[in-house]
Amino acid sequence: MLGLDSSELKEVARACGQPAYRGDQLARWLFGRFELALDKMTDLPRAFREQIEAAGYVPGELAFVADRQTPDGTRKVLFASPRRGTLEVVLMPHWPDPEAARSDPQGIRPERVTTCISTQIGCAVGCAFCATGFSGFQRNVAAGEMVEQVVRMQREAGHRISNVVFMGMGEPLLNYNDTLKAVRILNEEVGIGMRHLTISTAGIIPGIDRLAAERLQLTLAVSLHAPDDILRDALVPINRRYPLADLKAAMKRYVTRTSRRITIEYVLLAGVNDSTAQARDLVRYLEGLNAHVNLIPYNATDAQFEPSRPEAVEAFREVIERSGRAVSVRVERGRQIDAACGQLRRRLAEGGEAILEKDPARAREAVVAARQARSAEQGKALTGAKEHDGAGS
Ligand code: SAH
Ligand code: SF4
């Protein structure tokens, strides 16, 4: 039922022989009060509640499996779905004074509360450093399951959830219809402002164009992670289908159509994509695009990558800032609770439920090979330039 908007809930009421306003009452219970037990919806006639049940509609269906929490209130919950698989959801309160929050999290109000939800179980894109990608693709998450992730976290949160980021497991633009349905329900029914919703994509161009045509005021985040095709092919394999030049053109179309700035996400991996030369390449790549850069500290999975050292992060940030482009470094949260996407699920699956493994060592090898190919190419370009100079002199 959480995947139905109020006009569809009115249809459910009508189909049960009830007046349409019963559908609105239902919507108020679900999206206004986050009530998921039909028998607690006391102003609905018992007969109607029984009819709803008999028709096979359920308010919510996710079962709690496990959760972890850090002192700053970051919380990660793993839910099991009767449709198959487990889903990770993260709740992050952002405090005006993090120290005070640590000592008395109940005593002060967070500035905002963000929930990070999953749009697929597993992911087919298979980025080299991502724990979700390691387990392959299992299935799409339905719109109602996406909304339920927010509603379930809201029931636990204690504070009103103000922001939702579609940045958990999965590639939202490869599950386009359900993701957009969830966006609309969260905005129109739950009342979360469109500008407080963020969809993060690995760069699925047809999805970006479809989203641009909707002209929504949500935030689009694009996971770039590399400023050249050779490295990006190795880190984000979908780059082979949607290479950087095409991706930039799609992002420009998006900005033109929606008048919204794009967020560029860039996970910093030590010795792989974090040199100042790569920062300069990134600056060049982004020229003429209205985009803000968000540098993300790598949350170590077992893919044999390492997070960049703080000095490297700072030097990278500075190059971008000096170019005049807005840049931020994401505050790292939840490392202790495996809050990187796919991590908790993966940890719990170890030794239990069998999940398809990608070989982390091979992922690393692919990146090393990509870097060698790139330096060879640069070497050739340099030699070519010298030869050219020679010929001219
Ligand atoms: N599939 C979408 C959204 C889910 S991933 C996408 O790729 O954008 C959300 C973000 O988390 C992406 O930017 C992704 O690159 C990043 N991410 C994945 N694994 C990570 C890790 N171990 N540490 C830090 N960020 C990670
Ligand atoms: Fe999929 Fe995003 Fe993870 Fe890449 S980073 S494997 S696109 S979830």
mmCIF file of all heavy atoms in Angstrom, residues 198-247:
data_model
loop_
_atom_site.group_PDB
_atom_site.id
_atom_site.type_symbol
_atom_site.label_atom_id
_atom_site.label_comp_id
_atom_site.label_asym_id
_atom_site.label_seq_id
_atom_site.Cartn_x
_atom_site.Cartn_y
_atom_site.Cartn_z
ATOM 1 N N THR A 198 17.409 13.292 -3.252
ATOM 2 C CA THR A 198 18.584 13.169 -4.133
ATOM 3 C C THR A 198 18.643 11.782 -4.754
ATOM 4 O O THR A 198 18.565 10.772 -4.052
ATOM 5 C CB THR A 198 19.893 13.400 -3.326
ATOM 6 O OG1 THR A 198 19.853 14.714 -2.773
ATOM 7 C CG2 THR A 198 21.127 13.268 -4.211
ATOM 8 N N ILE A 199 18.774 11.763 -6.084
ATOM 9 C CA ILE A 199 18.984 10.489 -6.778
ATOM 10 C C ILE A 199 20.443 10.442 -7.211
ATOM 11 O O ILE A 199 20.940 11.383 -7.840
ATOM 12 C CB ILE A 199 18.060 10.370 -8.009
ATOM 13 C CG1 ILE A 199 16.612 10.184 -7.546
ATOM 14 C CG2 ILE A 199 18.497 9.215 -8.913
ATOM 15 C CD1 ILE A 199 15.625 9.959 -8.676
ATOM 16 N N SER A 200 21.118 9.359 -6.865
ATOM 17 C CA SER A 200 22.527 9.214 -7.232
ATOM 18 C C SER A 200 22.657 8.135 -8.308
ATOM 19 O O SER A 200 22.130 7.029 -8.158
ATOM 20 C CB SER A 200 23.316 8.809 -5.982
ATOM 21 O OG SER A 200 24.650 8.504 -6.309
ATOM 22 N N THR A 201 23.360 8.472 -9.396
ATOM 23 C CA THR A 201 23.501 7.506 -10.490
ATOM 24 C C THR A 201 24.958 7.323 -10.891
ATOM 25 O O THR A 201 25.756 8.253 -10.797
ATOM 26 C CB THR A 201 22.697 7.942 -11.740
ATOM 27 O OG1 THR A 201 22.909 6.981 -12.777
ATOM 28 C CG2 THR A 201 23.115 9.314 -12.242
ATOM 29 N N ALA A 202 25.258 6.116 -11.373
ATOM 30 C CA ALA A 202 26.607 5.850 -11.881
ATOM 31 C C ALA A 202 26.769 6.431 -13.289
ATOM 32 O O ALA A 202 27.845 6.331 -13.878
ATOM 33 C CB ALA A 202 26.857 4.346 -11.895
ATOM 34 N N GLY A 203 25.708 7.048 -13.820
ATOM 35 C CA GLY A 203 25.829 7.696 -15.131
ATOM 36 C C GLY A 203 25.088 6.959 -16.238
ATOM 37 O O GLY A 203 25.623 6.741 -17.322
ATOM 38 N N ILE A 204 23.845 6.582 -15.959
ATOM 39 C CA ILE A 204 23.009 5.883 -16.947
ATOM 40 C C ILE A 204 22.363 6.963 -17.827
ATOM 41 O O ILE A 204 21.370 7.591 -17.427
ATOM 42 C CB ILE A 204 21.915 5.039 -16.242
ATOM 43 C CG1 ILE A 204 22.517 4.173 -15.128
ATOM 44 C CG2 ILE A 204 21.121 4.196 -17.242
ATOM 45 C CD1 ILE A 204 23.515 3.138 -15.572
ATOM 46 N N ILE A 205 22.911 7.184 -19.012
ATOM 47 C CA ILE A 205 22.501 8.341 -19.811
ATOM 48 C C ILE A 205 20.997 8.342 -20.179
ATOM 49 O O ILE A 205 20.335 9.364 -20.011
ATOM 50 C CB ILE A 205 23.418 8.495 -21.052
ATOM 51 C CG1 ILE A 205 24.811 8.895 -20.546
ATOM 52 C CG2 ILE A 205 22.866 9.535 -22.031
ATOM 53 C CD1 ILE A 205 25.847 9.053 -21.621
ATOM 54 N N PRO A 206 20.434 7.222 -20.650
ATOM 55 C CA PRO A 206 19.000 7.293 -20.978
ATOM 56 C C PRO A 206 18.152 7.682 -19.757
ATOM 57 O O PRO A 206 17.167 8.403 -19.896
ATOM 58 C CB PRO A 206 18.672 5.863 -21.433
ATOM 59 C CG PRO A 206 19.988 5.253 -21.790
ATOM 60 C CD PRO A 206 21.018 5.902 -20.935
ATOM 61 N N GLY A 207 18.550 7.222 -18.579
ATOM 62 C CA GLY A 207 17.830 7.567 -17.343
ATOM 63 C C GLY A 207 17.978 9.050 -17.018
ATOM 64 O O GLY A 207 17.026 9.705 -16.587
ATOM 65 N N ILE A 208 19.167 9.597 -17.242
ATOM 66 C CA ILE A 208 19.392 11.025 -16.970
ATOM 67 C C ILE A 208 18.501 11.854 -17.898
ATOM 68 O O ILE A 208 17.868 12.823 -17.473
ATOM 69 C CB ILE A 208 20.891 11.389 -17.151
ATOM 70 C CG1 ILE A 208 21.734 10.666 -16.086
ATOM 71 C CG2 ILE A 208 21.105 12.896 -17.087
ATOM 72 C CD1 ILE A 208 23.241 10.842 -16.236
ATOM 73 N N ASP A 209 18.412 11.444 -19.167
ATOM 74 C CA ASP A 209 17.575 12.190 -20.112
ATOM 75 C C ASP A 209 16.086 12.087 -19.762
ATOM 76 O O ASP A 209 15.350 13.057 -19.864
ATOM 77 C CB ASP A 209 17.821 11.695 -21.547
ATOM 78 C CG ASP A 209 19.108 12.291 -22.116
ATOM 79 O OD1 ASP A 209 19.445 13.443 -21.753
ATOM 80 O OD2 ASP A 209 19.793 11.610 -22.906
ATOM 81 N N ARG A 210 15.675 10.893 -19.334
ATOM 82 C CA ARG A 210 14.270 10.732 -18.939
ATOM 83 C C ARG A 210 13.954 11.619 -17.747
ATOM 84 O O ARG A 210 12.924 12.278 -17.692
ATOM 85 C CB ARG A 210 14.038 9.280 -18.517
ATOM 86 C CG ARG A 210 13.245 8.489 -19.542
ATOM 87 C CD ARG A 210 13.036 7.090 -19.050
ATOM 88 N NE ARG A 210 11.668 6.868 -18.580
ATOM 89 C CZ ARG A 210 11.233 5.693 -18.134
ATOM 90 N NH1 ARG A 210 12.055 4.663 -18.078
ATOM 91 N NH2 ARG A 210 9.992 5.554 -17.727
ATOM 92 N N LEU A 211 14.889 11.617 -16.794
ATOM 93 C CA LEU A 211 14.685 12.414 -15.581
ATOM 94 C C LEU A 211 14.668 13.906 -15.922
ATOM 95 O O LEU A 211 13.868 14.668 -15.382
ATOM 96 C CB LEU A 211 15.809 12.094 -14.592
ATOM 97 C CG LEU A 211 15.634 12.556 -13.155
ATOM 98 C CD1 LEU A 211 14.376 11.952 -12.536
ATOM 99 C CD2 LEU A 211 16.851 12.171 -12.319
ATOM 100 N N ALA A 212 15.536 14.310 -16.842
ATOM 101 C CA ALA A 212 15.581 15.724 -17.248
ATOM 102 C C ALA A 212 14.217 16.144 -17.798
ATOM 103 O O ALA A 212 13.729 17.242 -17.507
ATOM 104 C CB ALA A 212 16.664 15.932 -18.299
ATOM 105 N N ALA A 213 13.590 15.243 -18.560
ATOM 106 C CA ALA A 213 12.308 15.579 -19.186
ATOM 107 C C ALA A 213 11.199 15.766 -18.148
ATOM 108 O O ALA A 213 10.218 16.440 -18.405
ATOM 109 C CB ALA A 213 11.918 14.492 -20.188
ATOM 110 N N GLU A 214 11.372 15.183 -16.949
ATOM 111 C CA GLU A 214 10.363 15.341 -15.894
ATOM 112 C C GLU A 214 10.461 16.723 -15.257
ATOM 113 O O GLU A 214 9.561 17.144 -14.548
ATOM 114 C CB GLU A 214 10.547 14.289 -14.776
ATOM 115 C CG GLU A 214 10.861 12.892 -15.276
ATOM 116 C CD GLU A 214 9.709 11.922 -15.115
ATOM 117 O OE1 GLU A 214 8.634 12.344 -14.664
ATOM 118 O OE2 GLU A 214 9.901 10.743 -15.474
ATOM 119 N N ARG A 215 11.590 17.374 -15.442
ATOM 120 C CA ARG A 215 11.839 18.721 -14.892
ATOM 121 C C ARG A 215 11.512 18.822 -13.401
ATOM 122 O O ARG A 215 10.817 19.739 -12.964
ATOM 123 C CB ARG A 215 11.025 19.767 -15.650
ATOM 124 C CG ARG A 215 11.461 19.910 -17.092
ATOM 125 C CD ARG A 215 10.577 20.894 -17.800
ATOM 126 N NE ARG A 215 10.860 20.928 -19.217
ATOM 127 C CZ ARG A 215 11.607 21.859 -19.812
ATOM 128 N NH1 ARG A 215 12.134 22.830 -19.128
ATOM 129 N NH2 ARG A 215 11.811 21.810 -21.113
ATOM 130 N N LEU A 216 11.997 17.862 -12.639
ATOM 131 C CA LEU A 216 11.769 17.890 -11.199
ATOM 132 C C LEU A 216 12.857 18.715 -10.533
ATOM 133 O O LEU A 216 13.959 18.827 -11.054
ATOM 134 C CB LEU A 216 11.771 16.465 -10.635
ATOM 135 C CG LEU A 216 10.696 15.523 -11.183
ATOM 136 C CD1 LEU A 216 10.898 14.111 -10.657
ATOM 137 C CD2 LEU A 216 9.301 16.046 -10.835
ATOM 138 N N GLN A 217 12.562 19.232 -9.363
ATOM 139 C CA GLN A 217 13.542 20.051 -8.659
ATOM 140 C C GLN A 217 14.384 19.225 -7.682
ATOM 141 O O GLN A 217 15.015 19.771 -6.787
ATOM 142 C CB GLN A 217 12.832 21.198 -7.929
ATOM 143 C CG GLN A 217 12.267 22.238 -8.885
ATOM 144 C CD GLN A 217 13.359 22.863 -9.758
ATOM 145 O OE1 GLN A 217 14.231 23.553 -9.252
ATOM 146 N NE2 GLN A 217 13.336 22.597 -11.061
ATOM 147 N N LEU A 218 14.397 17.913 -7.856
ATOM 148 C CA LEU A 218 15.228 17.092 -6.973
ATOM 149 C C LEU A 218 16.707 17.275 -7.327
ATOM 150 O O LEU A 218 17.032 17.919 -8.325
ATOM 151 C CB LEU A 218 14.812 15.616 -7.037
ATOM 152 C CG LEU A 218 14.713 14.902 -8.383
ATOM 153 C CD1 LEU A 218 16.072 14.619 -8.976
ATOM 154 C CD2 LEU A 218 13.980 13.579 -8.211
ATOM 155 N N THR A 219 17.578 16.714 -6.513
ATOM 156 C CA THR A 219 19.013 16.822 -6.794
ATOM 157 C C THR A 219 19.484 15.562 -7.500
ATOM 158 O O THR A 219 19.177 14.453 -7.062
ATOM 159 C CB THR A 219 19.800 16.999 -5.473
ATOM 160 O OG1 THR A 219 19.329 18.192 -4.837
ATOM 161 C CG2 THR A 219 21.290 17.139 -5.723
ATOM 162 N N LEU A 220 20.220 15.760 -8.591
ATOM 163 C CA LEU A 220 20.823 14.620 -9.283
ATOM 164 C C LEU A 220 22.309 14.591 -8.923
ATOM 165 O O LEU A 220 23.018 15.590 -9.082
ATOM 166 C CB LEU A 220 20.652 14.750 -10.798
ATOM 167 C CG LEU A 220 21.300 13.610 -11.594
ATOM 168 C CD1 LEU A 220 20.601 12.277 -11.340
ATOM 169 C CD2 LEU A 220 21.292 13.899 -13.089
ATOM 170 N N ALA A 221 22.751 13.449 -8.416
ATOM 171 C CA ALA A 221 24.171 13.271 -8.109
ATOM 172 C C ALA A 221 24.731 12.248 -9.095
ATOM 173 O O ALA A 221 24.108 11.208 -9.325
ATOM 174 C CB ALA A 221 24.340 12.783 -6.676
ATOM 175 N N VAL A 222 25.862 12.558 -9.690
ATOM 176 C CA VAL A 222 26.473 11.627 -10.650
ATOM 177 C C VAL A 222 27.793 11.141 -10.068
ATOM 178 O O VAL A 222 28.660 11.942 -9.691
ATOM 179 C CB VAL A 222 26.678 12.302 -12.026
ATOM 180 C CG1 VAL A 222 27.424 11.369 -12.979
ATOM 181 C CG2 VAL A 222 25.328 12.697 -12.634
ATOM 182 N N SER A 223 27.941 9.817 -9.974
ATOM 183 C CA SER A 223 29.155 9.227 -9.401
ATOM 184 C C SER A 223 30.219 9.145 -10.484
ATOM 185 O O SER A 223 30.167 8.272 -11.339
ATOM 186 C CB SER A 223 28.834 7.819 -8.887
ATOM 187 O OG SER A 223 27.846 7.893 -7.894
ATOM 188 N N LEU A 224 31.176 10.039 -10.430
ATOM 189 C CA LEU A 224 32.158 10.110 -11.514
ATOM 190 C C LEU A 224 33.391 9.243 -11.211
ATOM 191 O O LEU A 224 33.737 8.367 -11.971
ATOM 192 C CB LEU A 224 32.550 11.581 -11.739
ATOM 193 C CG LEU A 224 32.968 11.897 -13.166
ATOM 194 C CD1 LEU A 224 31.793 11.809 -14.106
ATOM 195 C CD2 LEU A 224 33.582 13.285 -13.239
ATOM 196 N N HIS A 225 34.071 9.582 -10.131
ATOM 197 C CA HIS A 225 35.189 8.783 -9.590
ATOM 198 C C HIS A 225 36.458 8.741 -10.442
ATOM 199 O O HIS A 225 37.475 8.197 -9.994
ATOM 200 C CB HIS A 225 34.780 7.338 -9.279
ATOM 201 C CG HIS A 225 33.524 7.227 -8.473
ATOM 202 N ND1 HIS A 225 33.207 8.096 -7.453
ATOM 203 C CD2 HIS A 225 32.491 6.349 -8.543
ATOM 204 C CE1 HIS A 225 32.036 7.750 -6.935
ATOM 205 N NE2 HIS A 225 31.584 6.707 -7.581
ATOM 206 N N ALA A 226 36.403 9.218 -11.684
ATOM 207 C CA ALA A 226 37.616 9.220 -12.510
ATOM 208 C C ALA A 226 37.448 10.274 -13.593
ATOM 209 O O ALA A 226 36.352 10.421 -14.131
ATOM 210 C CB ALA A 226 37.842 7.855 -13.145
ATOM 211 N N PRO A 227 38.551 10.997 -13.919
ATOM 212 C CA PRO A 227 38.421 12.051 -14.921
ATOM 213 C C PRO A 227 38.793 11.592 -16.325
ATOM 214 O O PRO A 227 38.794 12.401 -17.254
ATOM 215 C CB PRO A 227 39.412 13.109 -14.411
ATOM 216 C CG PRO A 227 40.471 12.315 -13.724
ATOM 217 C CD PRO A 227 39.852 11.037 -13.240
ATOM 218 N N ASP A 228 39.158 10.314 -16.514
ATOM 219 C CA ASP A 228 39.472 9.848 -17.867
ATOM 220 C C ASP A 228 38.825 8.486 -18.099
ATOM 221 O O ASP A 228 38.576 7.732 -17.149
ATOM 222 C CB ASP A 228 40.994 9.772 -18.084
ATOM 223 C CG ASP A 228 41.629 8.713 -17.215
ATOM 224 O OD1 ASP A 228 41.610 7.533 -17.602
ATOM 225 O OD2 ASP A 228 42.126 9.060 -16.113
ATOM 226 N N ASP A 229 38.570 8.175 -19.365
ATOM 227 C CA ASP A 229 37.810 6.964 -19.696
ATOM 228 C C ASP A 229 38.529 5.672 -19.329
ATOM 229 O O ASP A 229 37.894 4.703 -18.934
ATOM 230 C CB ASP A 229 37.469 6.952 -21.199
ATOM 231 C CG ASP A 229 36.267 7.836 -21.504
ATOM 232 O OD1 ASP A 229 35.296 7.809 -20.720
ATOM 233 O OD2 ASP A 229 36.299 8.561 -22.512
ATOM 234 N N ILE A 230 39.861 5.673 -19.454
ATOM 235 C CA ILE A 230 40.566 4.414 -19.184
ATOM 236 C C ILE A 230 40.374 3.998 -17.730
ATOM 237 O O ILE A 230 40.017 2.854 -17.433
ATOM 238 C CB ILE A 230 42.063 4.527 -19.555
ATOM 239 C CG1 ILE A 230 42.176 4.701 -21.070
ATOM 240 C CG2 ILE A 230 42.834 3.303 -19.090
ATOM 241 C CD1 ILE A 230 43.589 4.879 -21.569
ATOM 242 N N LEU A 231 40.581 4.963 -16.828
ATOM 243 C CA LEU A 231 40.415 4.641 -15.408
ATOM 244 C C LEU A 231 38.941 4.411 -15.066
ATOM 245 O O LEU A 231 38.591 3.492 -14.319
ATOM 246 C CB LEU A 231 40.991 5.779 -14.545
ATOM 247 C CG LEU A 231 40.924 5.559 -13.034
ATOM 248 C CD1 LEU A 231 41.668 4.296 -12.631
ATOM 249 C CD2 LEU A 231 41.486 6.768 -12.279
ATOM 250 N N ARG A 232 38.069 5.226 -15.647
ATOM 251 C CA ARG A 232 36.642 5.075 -15.301
ATOM 252 C C ARG A 232 36.084 3.754 -15.814
ATOM 253 O O ARG A 232 35.241 3.142 -15.164
ATOM 254 C CB ARG A 232 35.828 6.269 -15.807
ATOM 255 C CG ARG A 232 34.443 6.344 -15.159
ATOM 256 C CD ARG A 232 33.777 7.692 -15.303
ATOM 257 N NE ARG A 232 32.594 7.795 -14.464
ATOM 258 C CZ ARG A 232 31.355 7.425 -14.825
ATOM 259 N NH1 ARG A 232 31.151 6.951 -16.046
ATOM 260 N NH2 ARG A 232 30.342 7.526 -13.992
ATOM 261 N N ASP A 233 36.594 3.285 -16.971
ATOM 262 C CA ASP A 233 36.181 1.960 -17.463
ATOM 263 C C ASP A 233 36.455 0.888 -16.405
ATOM 264 O O ASP A 233 35.675 -0.049 -16.232
ATOM 265 C CB ASP A 233 36.980 1.568 -18.715
ATOM 266 C CG ASP A 233 36.433 2.227 -19.980
ATOM 267 O OD1 ASP A 233 35.376 2.884 -19.906
ATOM 268 O OD2 ASP A 233 37.093 2.106 -21.026
ATOM 269 N N ALA A 234 37.591 1.036 -15.704
ATOM 270 C CA ALA A 234 37.973 0.025 -14.717
ATOM 271 C C ALA A 234 37.208 0.184 -13.403
ATOM 272 O O ALA A 234 36.861 -0.794 -12.760
ATOM 273 C CB ALA A 234 39.472 0.091 -14.454
ATOM 274 N N LEU A 235 36.939 1.444 -13.016
ATOM 275 C CA LEU A 235 36.284 1.663 -11.718
ATOM 276 C C LEU A 235 34.770 1.544 -11.808
ATOM 277 O O LEU A 235 34.120 1.004 -10.918
ATOM 278 C CB LEU A 235 36.638 3.055 -11.174
ATOM 279 C CG LEU A 235 38.065 3.285 -10.700
ATOM 280 C CD1 LEU A 235 38.236 4.740 -10.262
ATOM 281 C CD2 LEU A 235 38.410 2.363 -9.531
ATOM 282 N N VAL A 236 34.201 2.110 -12.862
ATOM 283 C CA VAL A 236 32.741 2.152 -13.042
ATOM 284 C C VAL A 236 32.460 1.541 -14.424
ATOM 285 O O VAL A 236 32.408 2.243 -15.420
ATOM 286 C CB VAL A 236 32.224 3.617 -12.974
ATOM 287 C CG1 VAL A 236 30.700 3.674 -13.028
ATOM 288 C CG2 VAL A 236 32.751 4.334 -11.738
ATOM 289 N N PRO A 237 32.332 0.215 -14.501
ATOM 290 C CA PRO A 237 32.320 -0.468 -15.812
ATOM 291 C C PRO A 237 31.245 0.024 -16.798
ATOM 292 O O PRO A 237 31.421 -0.124 -17.997
ATOM 293 C CB PRO A 237 32.080 -1.937 -15.442
ATOM 294 C CG PRO A 237 32.489 -2.053 -14.011
ATOM 295 C CD PRO A 237 32.254 -0.726 -13.372
ATOM 296 N N ILE A 238 30.187 0.658 -16.299
ATOM 297 C CA ILE A 238 29.135 1.146 -17.201
ATOM 298 C C ILE A 238 29.687 2.269 -18.102
ATOM 299 O O ILE A 238 29.074 2.639 -19.098
ATOM 300 C CB ILE A 238 27.900 1.629 -16.380
ATOM 301 C CG1 ILE A 238 26.630 1.698 -17.240
ATOM 302 C CG2 ILE A 238 28.106 2.978 -15.754
ATOM 303 C CD1 ILE A 238 25.978 0.391 -17.482
ATOM 304 N N ASN A 239 30.876 2.768 -17.741
ATOM 305 C CA ASN A 239 31.510 3.822 -18.545
ATOM 306 C C ASN A 239 31.815 3.349 -19.964
ATOM 307 O O ASN A 239 31.886 4.142 -20.890
ATOM 308 C CB ASN A 239 32.801 4.285 -17.859
ATOM 309 C CG ASN A 239 33.343 5.562 -18.480
ATOM 310 O OD1 ASN A 239 32.716 6.615 -18.373
ATOM 311 N ND2 ASN A 239 34.488 5.472 -19.147
ATOM 312 N N ARG A 240 31.975 2.016 -20.118
ATOM 313 C CA ARG A 240 32.254 1.514 -21.479
ATOM 314 C C ARG A 240 31.056 1.773 -22.372
ATOM 315 O O ARG A 240 31.198 2.002 -23.557
ATOM 316 C CB ARG A 240 32.586 0.026 -21.438
ATOM 317 C CG ARG A 240 33.912 -0.199 -20.744
ATOM 318 C CD ARG A 240 34.246 -1.666 -20.572
ATOM 319 N NE ARG A 240 35.040 -1.819 -19.373
ATOM 320 C CZ ARG A 240 35.000 -2.869 -18.559
ATOM 321 N NH1 ARG A 240 34.205 -3.880 -18.818
ATOM 322 N NH2 ARG A 240 35.755 -2.893 -17.492
ATOM 323 N N ARG A 241 29.863 1.709 -21.795
ATOM 324 C CA ARG A 241 28.676 1.980 -22.600
ATOM 325 C C ARG A 241 28.371 3.476 -22.663
ATOM 326 O O ARG A 241 27.941 3.984 -23.676
ATOM 327 C CB ARG A 241 27.476 1.233 -22.025
ATOM 328 C CG ARG A 241 26.341 1.263 -23.031
ATOM 329 C CD ARG A 241 25.126 0.441 -22.677
ATOM 330 N NE ARG A 241 25.360 -0.816 -22.041
ATOM 331 C CZ ARG A 241 24.427 -1.468 -21.332
ATOM 332 N NH1 ARG A 241 23.232 -0.958 -21.199
ATOM 333 N NH2 ARG A 241 24.691 -2.630 -20.784
ATOM 334 N N TYR A 242 28.575 4.172 -21.543
ATOM 335 C CA TYR A 242 28.267 5.610 -21.495
ATOM 336 C C TYR A 242 29.524 6.382 -21.115
ATOM 337 O O TYR A 242 29.695 6.770 -19.958
ATOM 338 C CB TYR A 242 27.156 5.880 -20.468
ATOM 339 C CG TYR A 242 25.899 5.058 -20.707
ATOM 340 C CD1 TYR A 242 25.420 4.187 -19.731
ATOM 341 C CD2 TYR A 242 25.199 5.162 -21.909
ATOM 342 C CE1 TYR A 242 24.270 3.434 -19.945
ATOM 343 C CE2 TYR A 242 24.050 4.409 -22.133
ATOM 344 C CZ TYR A 242 23.597 3.539 -21.148
ATOM 345 O OH TYR A 242 22.463 2.794 -21.358
ATOM 346 N N PRO A 243 30.438 6.584 -22.077
ATOM 347 C CA PRO A 243 31.722 7.212 -21.753
ATOM 348 C C PRO A 243 31.599 8.685 -21.354
ATOM 349 O O PRO A 243 30.544 9.299 -21.516
ATOM 350 C CB PRO A 243 32.523 7.059 -23.055
ATOM 351 C CG PRO A 243 31.535 6.791 -24.119
ATOM 352 C CD PRO A 243 30.320 6.206 -23.477
ATOM 353 N N LEU A 244 32.718 9.206 -20.843
ATOM 354 C CA LEU A 244 32.696 10.518 -20.192
ATOM 355 C C LEU A 244 32.185 11.657 -21.074
ATOM 356 O O LEU A 244 31.442 12.516 -20.601
ATOM 357 C CB LEU A 244 34.106 10.841 -19.666
ATOM 358 C CG LEU A 244 34.460 10.132 -18.356
ATOM 359 C CD1 LEU A 244 35.948 10.255 -18.059
ATOM 360 C CD2 LEU A 244 33.642 10.703 -17.194
ATOM 361 N N ALA A 245 32.568 11.672 -22.345
ATOM 362 C CA ALA A 245 32.141 12.791 -23.195
ATOM 363 C C ALA A 245 30.622 12.778 -23.346
ATOM 364 O O ALA A 245 29.962 13.820 -23.231
ATOM 365 C CB ALA A 245 32.809 12.693 -24.566
ATOM 366 N N ASP A 246 30.050 11.578 -23.560
ATOM 367 C CA ASP A 246 28.588 11.477 -23.694
ATOM 368 C C ASP A 246 27.906 11.828 -22.371
ATOM 369 O O ASP A 246 26.851 12.454 -22.344
ATOM 370 C CB ASP A 246 28.179 10.047 -24.095
ATOM 371 C CG ASP A 246 28.748 9.662 -25.456
ATOM 372 O OD1 ASP A 246 29.306 10.543 -26.133
ATOM 373 O OD2 ASP A 246 28.639 8.473 -25.838
ATOM 374 N N LEU A 247 28.546 11.393 -21.273
ATOM 375 C CA LEU A 247 27.969 11.665 -19.956
ATOM 376 C C LEU A 247 27.922 13.167 -19.700
ATOM 377 O O LEU A 247 26.935 13.702 -19.194
ATOM 378 C CB LEU A 247 28.796 10.949 -18.874
ATOM 379 C CG LEU A 247 28.334 11.116 -17.434
ATOM 380 C CD1 LEU A 247 26.886 10.661 -17.252
ATOM 381 C CD2 LEU A 247 29.242 10.328 -16.472
#
